[in-house]
Structure formats: structure tokens, C-alpha cells
Amino acid sequence: QPTVFSSEEELARRQGLGATGVAIGGASAACSAMAELIARQEHIETQTLDDAVENYRQLLSDLTRMGRTTSMRPVKRQLVKWMDPLIAAIEAEQDAIRSGDKGTDRQICGPFLVAVKADKLAVITMHSVVNSTLLGGEQGARV
């Protein structure tokens, strides 16, 4: 029969602490350092995506205001053109997931799709598509 722990004992055990709260073999310090590294990496990735979203929006706004959208490089022009429709499509999919609508793979992918804001998913998707296409060379992206 499994051992029953109080919630404090269980927490201490999972953190690598003994009954007195003293670290066992430095496990707590290692876990703490790893958690800090993971949090830092998550912050950097989130900030990078936030910057990319803002960059696309600002670029489109500035060039539209100046009437110079045709002066953009073709790839960047296409990404800016895709941005808003892709965000709208992702938001519609997120709404369908949240409302419990049945659909292909929504039960599997749904929790992940609603965990990230639509504009960030749009940037990730656009960059992935372009990278896959460019890495595929003359054959294009592998499906």
C-alpha cells in the first residue's frame, strides 16, 4: 500500500528536502537553479515573440501611412499580408476549442493552441512556414 504524506511532507519530498526542511544532497539548490533557468528562457522567448509581433504591426503601419508597402522585400511583404488574416483564423479556432466544438485533433492540440495568444501563434506559424520552404530548396517544404 502506498505511503500517505501530508501536503507539506509531499512538497518537501518532491523538492528534495528532509523532514526538517534541510536539503538532501543539494537537490533543492539544483532544482531551484534549473527552475530559474527555465523561467529565464521562457521570458526571453516570450519577449522575442512580443517584439516580432510589434515589429510586423509597426512595419505595416509605417509603410501604409507613407504609401510605400510595395517597397518592402517580397517575403516581408507577404508576411505582413498574412499576419491579420492568420490571427483572425487562429482566434476563430481558439474560440471553437474553448466552446467545445468538435473538430479534427481539437482534443489533442486544443489545450496547446489556447495556451498561447493568437498573434504569437501567427508569428511562430509564419516563421515556421517560411523556414521550411526555404530549407526545402527547389523541392519546397516537406509535408
Tab-separated table of all heavy atoms in Angstrom, residues 25-86:
chain	number	residue	atom	x	y	z
A	25	GLY	N	21.307	16.328	-0.181
A	25	GLY	CA	22.259	16.222	-1.278
A	25	GLY	C	22.230	17.403	-2.230
A	25	GLY	O	22.590	17.263	-3.383
A	26	GLY	N	21.788	18.559	-1.812
A	26	GLY	CA	21.794	19.740	-2.673
A	26	GLY	C	20.741	19.701	-3.765
A	26	GLY	O	20.784	20.476	-4.699
A	27	ALA	N	19.799	18.787	-3.684
A	27	ALA	CA	18.785	18.657	-4.723
A	27	ALA	C	17.934	19.917	-4.832
A	27	ALA	O	17.567	20.323	-5.926
A	27	ALA	CB	17.894	17.449	-4.450
A	28	SER	N	17.647	20.538	-3.709
A	28	SER	CA	16.815	21.736	-3.734
A	28	SER	C	17.497	22.869	-4.473
A	28	SER	O	16.878	23.572	-5.257
A	28	SER	CB	16.466	22.172	-2.316
A	28	SER	OG	15.668	23.337	-2.346
A	29	ALA	N	18.779	23.062	-4.243
A	29	ALA	CA	19.522	24.124	-4.920
A	29	ALA	C	19.576	23.863	-6.420
A	29	ALA	O	19.420	24.786	-7.226
A	29	ALA	CB	20.924	24.233	-4.342
A	30	ALA	N	19.778	22.621	-6.802
A	30	ALA	CA	19.829	22.277	-8.222
A	30	ALA	C	18.476	22.494	-8.882
A	30	ALA	O	18.395	23.025	-9.990
A	30	ALA	CB	20.276	20.829	-8.401
A	31	CYS	N	17.408	22.109	-8.202
A	31	CYS	CA	16.057	22.308	-8.737
A	31	CYS	C	15.747	23.786	-8.860
A	31	CYS	O	15.164	24.225	-9.847
A	31	CYS	CB	15.020	21.635	-7.846
A	31	CYS	SG	15.051	19.836	-7.942
A	32	SER	N	16.150	24.552	-7.863
A	32	SER	CA	15.909	25.989	-7.878
A	32	SER	C	16.663	26.651	-9.026
A	32	SER	O	16.121	27.499	-9.731
A	32	SER	CB	16.323	26.598	-6.545
A	32	SER	OG	16.137	27.993	-6.567
A	33	ALA	N	17.916	26.267	-9.228
A	33	ALA	CA	18.714	26.832	-10.309
A	33	ALA	C	18.118	26.472	-11.668
A	33	ALA	O	18.043	27.318	-12.574
A	33	ALA	CB	20.161	26.341	-10.214
A	34	MET	N	17.659	25.237	-11.809
A	34	MET	CA	17.049	24.804	-13.063
A	34	MET	C	15.748	25.553	-13.316
A	34	MET	O	15.478	25.986	-14.435
A	34	MET	CB	16.796	23.293	-13.043
A	34	MET	CG	16.190	22.773	-14.342
A	34	MET	SD	17.232	23.057	-15.777
A	34	MET	CE	18.325	21.687	-15.623
A	35	ALA	N	14.957	25.738	-12.279
A	35	ALA	CA	13.699	26.470	-12.420
A	35	ALA	C	13.963	27.914	-12.843
A	35	ALA	O	13.235	28.466	-13.670
A	35	ALA	CB	12.918	26.433	-11.103
A	36	GLU	N	15.006	28.520	-12.285
A	36	GLU	CA	15.353	29.887	-12.666
A	36	GLU	C	15.786	29.956	-14.127
A	36	GLU	O	15.411	30.886	-14.848
A	36	GLU	CB	16.456	30.430	-11.762
A	36	GLU	CG	15.986	30.780	-10.369
A	36	GLU	CD	17.114	31.282	-9.481
A	36	GLU	OE1	18.074	31.879	-9.998
A	36	GLU	OE2	17.021	31.065	-8.256
A	37	LEU	N	16.561	28.982	-14.577
A	37	LEU	CA	16.994	28.949	-15.977
A	37	LEU	C	15.811	28.769	-16.927
A	37	LEU	O	15.733	29.412	-17.966
A	37	LEU	CB	18.019	27.831	-16.193
A	37	LEU	CG	19.406	28.072	-15.621
A	37	LEU	CD1	20.265	26.820	-15.774
A	37	LEU	CD2	20.067	29.262	-16.289
A	38	ILE	N	14.906	27.892	-16.559
A	38	ILE	CA	13.723	27.659	-17.388
A	38	ILE	C	12.866	28.920	-17.448
A	38	ILE	O	12.390	29.308	-18.518
A	38	ILE	CB	12.917	26.445	-16.869
A	38	ILE	CG1	13.716	25.161	-17.112
A	38	ILE	CG2	11.540	26.375	-17.517
A	38	ILE	CD1	13.140	23.934	-16.436
A	39	ALA	N	12.676	29.569	-16.306
A	39	ALA	CA	11.891	30.808	-16.280
A	39	ALA	C	12.555	31.893	-17.123
A	39	ALA	O	11.877	32.640	-17.844
A	39	ALA	CB	11.716	31.291	-14.839
A	40	ARG	N	13.876	31.973	-17.057
A	40	ARG	CA	14.601	32.976	-17.849
A	40	ARG	C	14.444	32.693	-19.339
A	40	ARG	O	14.197	33.600	-20.136
A	40	ARG	CB	16.076	32.964	-17.460
A	40	ARG	CG	16.898	33.978	-18.192
A	40	ARG	CD	18.318	34.064	-17.629
A	40	ARG	NE	19.061	35.041	-18.369
A	40	ARG	CZ	20.169	34.777	-19.030
A	40	ARG	NH1	20.688	33.580	-19.001
A	40	ARG	NH2	20.791	35.722	-19.707
A	41	GLN	N	14.585	31.432	-19.746
A	41	GLN	CA	14.429	31.055	-21.144
A	41	GLN	C	13.020	31.358	-21.638
A	41	GLN	O	12.829	31.878	-22.729
A	41	GLN	CB	14.751	29.565	-21.330
A	41	GLN	CG	14.624	29.081	-22.752
A	41	GLN	CD	15.673	29.663	-23.661
A	41	GLN	OE1	16.763	29.999	-23.216
A	41	GLN	NE2	15.371	29.793	-24.936
A	42	GLU	N	12.031	31.035	-20.818
A	42	GLU	CA	10.639	31.310	-21.182
A	42	GLU	C	10.414	32.809	-21.360
A	42	GLU	O	9.762	33.239	-22.311
A	42	GLU	CB	9.719	30.766	-20.098
A	42	GLU	CG	8.242	30.896	-20.423
A	42	GLU	CD	7.394	30.292	-19.332
A	42	GLU	OE1	7.564	29.101	-19.032
A	42	GLU	OE2	6.557	31.027	-18.789
A	43	HIS	N	10.994	33.615	-20.468
A	43	HIS	CA	10.861	35.070	-20.573
A	43	HIS	C	11.500	35.585	-21.863
A	43	HIS	O	10.914	36.412	-22.567
A	43	HIS	CB	11.495	35.751	-19.353
A	43	HIS	CG	11.535	37.234	-19.460
A	43	HIS	ND1	10.406	38.016	-19.300
A	43	HIS	CD2	12.549	38.088	-19.737
A	43	HIS	CE1	10.734	39.277	-19.476
A	43	HIS	NE2	12.030	39.348	-19.740
A	44	ILE	N	12.692	35.083	-22.186
A	44	ILE	CA	13.382	35.526	-23.399
A	44	ILE	C	12.580	35.161	-24.648
A	44	ILE	O	12.409	35.980	-25.551
A	44	ILE	CB	14.801	34.905	-23.463
A	44	ILE	CG1	15.690	35.529	-22.382
A	44	ILE	CG2	15.431	35.085	-24.844
A	44	ILE	CD1	17.013	34.810	-22.177
A	45	GLU	N	12.059	33.936	-24.702
A	45	GLU	CA	11.278	33.509	-25.863
A	45	GLU	C	9.990	34.308	-25.990
A	45	GLU	O	9.604	34.707	-27.094
A	45	GLU	CB	10.990	32.012	-25.774
A	45	GLU	CG	12.212	31.152	-25.996
A	45	GLU	CD	11.928	29.671	-25.903
A	45	GLU	OE1	10.752	29.274	-25.981
A	45	GLU	OE2	12.895	28.907	-25.761
A	46	THR	N	9.335	34.553	-24.876
A	46	THR	CA	8.102	35.338	-24.902
A	46	THR	C	8.381	36.758	-25.368
A	46	THR	O	7.648	37.309	-26.191
A	46	THR	CB	7.446	35.348	-23.504
A	46	THR	OG1	7.162	34.006	-23.135
A	46	THR	CG2	6.169	36.158	-23.493
A	47	GLN	N	9.443	37.357	-24.856
A	47	GLN	CA	9.792	38.726	-25.241
A	47	GLN	C	10.141	38.804	-26.724
A	47	GLN	O	9.765	39.749	-27.412
A	47	GLN	CB	10.960	39.245	-24.393
A	47	GLN	CG	11.257	40.707	-24.614
A	47	GLN	CD	10.089	41.601	-24.240
A	47	GLN	OE1	9.500	41.436	-23.193
A	47	GLN	NE2	9.737	42.524	-25.113
A	48	THR	N	10.839	37.793	-27.234
A	48	THR	CA	11.197	37.754	-28.647
A	48	THR	C	9.945	37.712	-29.516
A	48	THR	O	9.852	38.420	-30.526
A	48	THR	CB	12.093	36.536	-28.941
A	48	THR	OG1	13.271	36.639	-28.143
A	48	THR	CG2	12.474	36.457	-30.400
A	49	LEU	N	8.971	36.900	-29.137
A	49	LEU	CA	7.726	36.822	-29.905
A	49	LEU	C	6.945	38.123	-29.807
A	49	LEU	O	6.388	38.599	-30.808
A	49	LEU	CB	6.872	35.651	-29.418
A	49	LEU	CG	7.375	34.276	-29.814
A	49	LEU	CD1	6.562	33.204	-29.123
A	49	LEU	CD2	7.318	34.099	-31.318
A	50	ASP	N	6.880	38.715	-28.615
A	50	ASP	CA	6.201	40.003	-28.463
A	50	ASP	C	6.846	41.058	-29.363
A	50	ASP	O	6.149	41.845	-30.016
A	50	ASP	CB	6.246	40.481	-27.006
A	50	ASP	CG	5.340	39.694	-26.094
A	50	ASP	OD1	4.398	39.040	-26.591
A	50	ASP	OD2	5.572	39.716	-24.862
A	51	ASP	N	8.173	41.071	-29.413
A	51	ASP	CA	8.890	42.025	-30.257
A	51	ASP	C	8.594	41.790	-31.735
A	51	ASP	O	8.422	42.745	-32.500
A	51	ASP	CB	10.397	41.942	-30.003
A	51	ASP	CG	10.802	42.440	-28.628
A	51	ASP	OD1	9.968	43.090	-27.946
A	51	ASP	OD2	11.951	42.164	-28.221
A	52	ALA	N	8.546	40.522	-32.148
A	52	ALA	CA	8.268	40.204	-33.553
A	52	ALA	C	6.862	40.638	-33.942
A	52	ALA	O	6.657	41.219	-35.021
A	52	ALA	CB	8.443	38.707	-33.800
A	53	VAL	N	5.886	40.399	-33.077
A	53	VAL	CA	4.511	40.822	-33.357
A	53	VAL	C	4.450	42.340	-33.507
A	53	VAL	O	3.884	42.870	-34.464
A	53	VAL	CB	3.551	40.353	-32.228
A	53	VAL	CG1	2.195	41.020	-32.341
A	53	VAL	CG2	3.403	38.844	-32.261
A	54	GLU	N	5.064	43.038	-32.568
A	54	GLU	CA	5.058	44.501	-32.613
A	54	GLU	C	5.799	45.013	-33.842
A	54	GLU	O	5.376	45.975	-34.473
A	54	GLU	CB	5.686	45.074	-31.340
A	54	GLU	CG	5.615	46.572	-31.252
A	54	GLU	CD	4.198	47.130	-31.347
A	54	GLU	OE1	3.249	46.489	-30.866
A	54	GLU	OE2	4.035	48.228	-31.928
A	55	ASN	N	6.885	44.351	-34.215
A	55	ASN	CA	7.654	44.746	-35.391
A	55	ASN	C	6.818	44.648	-36.666
A	55	ASN	O	6.815	45.571	-37.490
A	55	ASN	CB	8.914	43.883	-35.505
A	55	ASN	CG	9.803	44.300	-36.653
A	55	ASN	OD1	9.779	45.437	-37.093
A	55	ASN	ND2	10.604	43.365	-37.122
A	56	TYR	N	6.099	43.541	-36.849
A	56	TYR	CA	5.256	43.383	-38.033
A	56	TYR	C	4.154	44.441	-38.069
A	56	TYR	O	3.880	45.038	-39.107
A	56	TYR	CB	4.632	41.983	-38.092
A	56	TYR	CG	5.596	40.921	-38.536
A	56	TYR	CD1	5.907	39.857	-37.714
A	56	TYR	CD2	6.200	40.976	-39.777
A	56	TYR	CE1	6.797	38.876	-38.101
A	56	TYR	CE2	7.091	40.004	-40.183
A	56	TYR	CZ	7.385	38.960	-39.349
A	56	TYR	OH	8.267	37.996	-39.744
A	57	ARG	N	3.531	44.655	-36.932
A	57	ARG	CA	2.450	45.646	-36.891
A	57	ARG	C	2.964	47.058	-37.170
A	57	ARG	O	2.349	47.813	-37.903
A	57	ARG	CB	1.740	45.586	-35.539
A	57	ARG	CG	0.910	44.338	-35.409
A	57	ARG	CD	-0.055	44.436	-34.263
A	57	ARG	NE	-0.996	43.335	-34.359
A	57	ARG	CZ	-1.425	42.638	-33.345
A	57	ARG	NH1	-1.020	42.923	-32.130
A	57	ARG	NH2	-2.272	41.658	-33.519
A	58	GLN	N	4.096	47.411	-36.575
A	58	GLN	CA	4.667	48.736	-36.775
A	58	GLN	C	5.122	48.921	-38.214
A	58	GLN	O	4.913	49.979	-38.807
A	58	GLN	CB	5.844	48.952	-35.810
A	58	GLN	CG	6.350	50.370	-35.783
A	58	GLN	CD	5.307	51.339	-35.247
A	58	GLN	OE1	4.651	51.048	-34.255
A	58	GLN	NE2	5.149	52.463	-35.892
A	59	LEU	N	5.738	47.904	-38.796
A	59	LEU	CA	6.199	47.970	-40.180
A	59	LEU	C	5.036	48.213	-41.128
A	59	LEU	O	5.096	49.105	-41.988
A	59	LEU	CB	6.914	46.670	-40.544
A	59	LEU	CG	7.444	46.549	-41.962
A	59	LEU	CD1	8.553	47.556	-42.196
A	59	LEU	CD2	7.953	45.133	-42.206
A	60	LEU	N	3.974	47.454	-40.966
A	60	LEU	CA	2.802	47.635	-41.823
A	60	LEU	C	2.201	49.010	-41.631
A	60	LEU	O	1.880	49.704	-42.607
A	60	LEU	CB	1.753	46.559	-41.534
A	60	LEU	CG	0.482	46.646	-42.373
A	60	LEU	CD1	0.803	46.530	-43.857
A	60	LEU	CD2	-0.508	45.585	-41.947
A	61	SER	N	2.079	49.442	-40.392
A	61	SER	CA	1.508	50.759	-40.111
A	61	SER	C	2.336	51.872	-40.739
A	61	SER	O	1.801	52.769	-41.397
A	61	SER	CB	1.411	50.960	-38.598
A	61	SER	OG	1.005	52.265	-38.294
A	62	ASP	N	3.645	51.826	-40.552
A	62	ASP	CA	4.521	52.873	-41.089
A	62	ASP	C	4.503	52.916	-42.607
A	62	ASP	O	4.372	53.991	-43.206
A	62	ASP	CB	5.963	52.673	-40.608
A	62	ASP	CG	6.134	52.936	-39.129
A	62	ASP	OD1	5.200	53.495	-38.500
A	62	ASP	OD2	7.198	52.557	-38.580
A	63	LEU	N	4.628	51.762	-43.232
A	63	LEU	CA	4.676	51.730	-44.692
A	63	LEU	C	3.329	52.079	-45.318
A	63	LEU	O	3.281	52.718	-46.368
A	63	LEU	CB	5.178	50.373	-45.176
A	63	LEU	CG	6.645	50.095	-44.870
A	63	LEU	CD1	7.016	48.668	-45.255
A	63	LEU	CD2	7.553	51.077	-45.591
A	64	THR	N	2.249	51.681	-44.668
A	64	THR	CA	0.924	52.037	-45.175
A	64	THR	C	0.720	53.545	-45.074
A	64	THR	O	0.217	54.179	-46.012
A	64	THR	CB	-0.174	51.293	-44.392
A	64	THR	OG1	0.050	49.886	-44.523
A	64	THR	CG2	-1.553	51.637	-44.919
A	65	ARG	N	1.117	54.112	-43.946
A	65	ARG	CA	0.975	55.562	-43.736
A	65	ARG	C	1.768	56.339	-44.793
A	65	ARG	O	1.313	57.366	-45.294
A	65	ARG	CB	1.452	55.921	-42.334
A	65	ARG	CG	1.246	57.359	-41.946
A	65	ARG	CD	1.617	57.652	-40.499
A	65	ARG	NE	2.730	56.886	-39.938
A	65	ARG	CZ	4.019	57.190	-40.099
A	65	ARG	NH1	4.363	58.228	-40.811
A	65	ARG	NH2	4.950	56.446	-39.560
A	66	MET	N	2.949	55.820	-45.162
A	66	MET	CA	3.788	56.501	-46.159
A	66	MET	C	3.418	56.112	-47.590
A	66	MET	O	3.955	56.670	-48.532
A	66	MET	CB	5.261	56.162	-45.913
A	66	MET	CG	5.795	56.701	-44.608
A	66	MET	SD	7.571	56.440	-44.375
A	66	MET	CE	7.749	54.671	-44.494
A	67	GLY	N	2.519	55.134	-47.745
A	67	GLY	CA	2.137	54.676	-49.085
A	67	GLY	C	3.264	53.924	-49.776
A	67	GLY	O	3.386	53.981	-50.998
A	68	ARG	N	4.081	53.212	-49.005
A	68	ARG	CA	5.253	52.555	-49.580
A	68	ARG	C	5.271	51.054	-49.329
A	68	ARG	O	6.338	50.456	-49.247
A	68	ARG	CB	6.518	53.185	-49.000
A	68	ARG	CG	6.603	54.663	-49.301
A	68	ARG	CD	7.921	55.254	-48.900
A	68	ARG	NE	8.981	54.591	-49.654
A	68	ARG	CZ	10.250	54.561	-49.246
A	68	ARG	NH1	10.595	55.116	-48.114
A	68	ARG	NH2	11.164	53.965	-49.969
A	69	THR	N	4.127	50.428	-49.237
A	69	THR	CA	4.117	48.983	-48.964
A	69	THR	C	4.766	48.186	-50.090
A	69	THR	O	5.279	47.099	-49.857
A	69	THR	CB	2.689	48.462	-48.733
A	69	THR	OG1	1.873	48.848	-49.832
A	69	THR	CG2	2.119	48.999	-47.439
A	70	THR	N	4.782	48.716	-51.294
A	70	THR	CA	5.401	47.986	-52.407
A	70	THR	C	6.921	48.028	-52.346
A	70	THR	O	7.583	47.274	-53.053
A	70	THR	CB	4.943	48.559	-53.762
A	70	THR	OG1	5.251	49.952	-53.806
A	70	THR	CG2	3.460	48.340	-53.965
A	71	SER	N	7.498	48.897	-51.500
A	71	SER	CA	8.961	48.968	-51.402
A	71	SER	C	9.537	47.899	-50.472
A	71	SER	O	10.750	47.776	-50.361
A	71	SER	CB	9.394	50.358	-50.923
A	71	SER	OG	8.995	50.573	-49.584
A	72	MET	N	8.673	47.144	-49.817
A	72	MET	CA	9.151	46.081	-48.928
A	72	MET	C	9.703	44.923	-49.748
A	72	MET	O	9.287	44.703	-50.877
A	72	MET	CB	7.998	45.559	-48.059
A	72	MET	CG	7.485	46.556	-47.072
A	72	MET	SD	5.941	46.049	-46.285
A	72	MET	CE	6.273	44.422	-45.752
A	73	ARG	N	10.601	44.164	-49.138
A	73	ARG	CA	11.071	42.952	-49.794
A	73	ARG	C	9.899	41.988	-49.922
A	73	ARG	O	9.021	41.970	-49.058
A	73	ARG	CB	12.204	42.328	-48.999
A	73	ARG	CG	13.488	43.128	-49.143
A	73	ARG	CD	14.654	42.370	-48.587
A	73	ARG	NE	15.001	42.970	-47.302
A	73	ARG	CZ	15.553	42.325	-46.302
A	73	ARG	NH1	15.813	41.052	-46.399
A	73	ARG	NH2	15.853	42.938	-45.197
A	74	PRO	N	9.873	41.173	-50.970
A	74	PRO	CA	8.711	40.299	-51.214
A	74	PRO	C	8.334	39.395	-50.032
A	74	PRO	O	7.157	39.247	-49.725
A	74	PRO	CB	9.125	39.476	-52.431
A	74	PRO	CG	10.135	40.318	-53.131
A	74	PRO	CD	10.852	41.078	-52.058
A	75	VAL	N	9.316	38.789	-49.375
A	75	VAL	CA	8.995	37.876	-48.275
A	75	VAL	C	8.366	38.650	-47.122
A	75	VAL	O	7.353	38.243	-46.555
A	75	VAL	CB	10.258	37.107	-47.803
A	75	VAL	CG1	9.966	36.328	-46.537
A	75	VAL	CG2	10.749	36.183	-48.899
A	76	LYS	N	8.952	39.789	-46.788
A	76	LYS	CA	8.425	40.579	-45.683
A	76	LYS	C	7.025	41.112	-46.026
A	76	LYS	O	6.134	41.138	-45.182
A	76	LYS	CB	9.370	41.733	-45.365
A	76	LYS	CG	9.235	42.217	-43.955
A	76	LYS	CD	10.409	43.064	-43.563
A	76	LYS	CE	11.057	42.414	-42.386
A	76	LYS	NZ	12.069	43.180	-41.740
A	77	ARG	N	6.831	41.517	-47.269
A	77	ARG	CA	5.522	41.990	-47.704
A	77	ARG	C	4.477	40.882	-47.551
A	77	ARG	O	3.364	41.118	-47.093
A	77	ARG	CB	5.589	42.452	-49.158
A	77	ARG	CG	4.317	43.124	-49.624
A	77	ARG	CD	4.418	43.697	-51.026
A	77	ARG	NE	5.792	43.859	-51.445
A	77	ARG	CZ	6.226	43.684	-52.683
A	77	ARG	NH1	5.401	43.367	-53.647
A	77	ARG	NH2	7.497	43.833	-53.002
A	78	GLN	N	4.853	39.655	-47.913
A	78	GLN	CA	3.922	38.531	-47.784
A	78	GLN	C	3.616	38.234	-46.322
A	78	GLN	O	2.464	37.979	-45.963
A	78	GLN	CB	4.492	37.283	-48.470
A	78	GLN	CG	3.499	36.176	-48.630
A	78	GLN	CD	2.316	36.576	-49.489
A	78	GLN	OE1	2.471	37.176	-50.545
A	78	GLN	NE2	1.124	36.261	-49.039
A	79	LEU	N	4.618	38.277	-45.464
A	79	LEU	CA	4.395	38.024	-44.042
A	79	LEU	C	3.445	39.060	-43.445
A	79	LEU	O	2.547	38.717	-42.673
A	79	LEU	CB	5.720	38.018	-43.281
A	79	LEU	CG	6.653	36.854	-43.576
A	79	LEU	CD1	7.971	37.029	-42.834
A	79	LEU	CD2	6.018	35.535	-43.212
A	80	VAL	N	3.639	40.302	-43.798
A	80	VAL	CA	2.763	41.357	-43.287
A	80	VAL	C	1.339	41.163	-43.814
A	80	VAL	O	0.362	41.360	-43.096
A	80	VAL	CB	3.326	42.756	-43.654
A	80	VAL	CG1	2.317	43.843	-43.397
A	80	VAL	CG2	4.607	43.026	-42.881
A	81	LYS	N	1.235	40.717	-45.058
A	81	LYS	CA	-0.089	40.482	-45.650
A	81	LYS	C	-0.801	39.307	-44.976
A	81	LYS	O	-2.014	39.312	-44.815
A	81	LYS	CB	0.062	40.205	-47.149
A	81	LYS	CG	-1.256	40.225	-47.902
A	81	LYS	CD	-1.139	39.715	-49.328
A	81	LYS	CE	-0.350	40.579	-50.235
A	81	LYS	NZ	-0.367	40.093	-51.641
A	82	TRP	N	-0.053	38.303	-44.564
A	82	TRP	CA	-0.623	37.127	-43.904
A	82	TRP	C	-1.025	37.395	-42.459
A	82	TRP	O	-1.898	36.720	-41.920
A	82	TRP	CB	0.382	35.985	-43.875
A	82	TRP	CG	0.626	35.271	-45.149
A	82	TRP	CD1	-0.152	35.275	-46.272
A	82	TRP	CD2	1.737	34.419	-45.434
A	82	TRP	NE1	0.409	34.489	-47.229
A	82	TRP	CE2	1.566	33.950	-46.748
A	82	TRP	CE3	2.848	34.017	-44.715
A	82	TRP	CZ2	2.466	33.087	-47.351
A	82	TRP	CZ3	3.755	33.161	-45.304
A	82	TRP	CH2	3.563	32.701	-46.616
A	83	MET	N	-0.377	38.320	-41.810
A	83	MET	CA	-0.478	38.488	-40.358
A	83	MET	C	-1.919	38.583	-39.844
A	83	MET	O	-2.349	37.767	-39.040
A	83	MET	CB	0.332	39.720	-39.933
A	83	MET	CG	0.371	39.936	-38.460
A	83	MET	SD	1.563	38.855	-37.712
A	83	MET	CE	1.629	39.553	-36.106
A	84	ASP	N	-2.672	39.585	-40.276
A	84	ASP	CA	-4.025	39.786	-39.738
A	84	ASP	C	-4.994	38.650	-40.068
A	84	ASP	O	-5.726	38.192	-39.187
A	84	ASP	CB	-4.582	41.140	-40.175
A	84	ASP	CG	-3.899	42.296	-39.448
A	84	ASP	OD1	-3.420	42.087	-38.314
A	84	ASP	OD2	-3.834	43.394	-40.015
A	85	PRO	N	-5.033	38.156	-41.322
A	85	PRO	CA	-5.930	37.017	-41.587
A	85	PRO	C	-5.563	35.766	-40.790
A	85	PRO	O	-6.449	35.032	-40.343
A	85	PRO	CB	-5.774	36.766	-43.093
A	85	PRO	CG	-5.243	38.034	-43.650
A	85	PRO	CD	-4.430	38.663	-42.564
A	86	LEU	N	-4.271	35.552	-40.587
A	86	LEU	CA	-3.848	34.382	-39.818
A	86	LEU	C	-4.244	34.530	-38.356
A	86	LEU	O	-4.727	33.582	-37.733
A	86	LEU	CB	-2.341	34.170	-39.959
A	86	LEU	CG	-1.758	32.909	-39.336
A	86	LEU	CD1	-2.470	31.649	-39.835
A	86	LEU	CD2	-0.260	32.823	-39.621
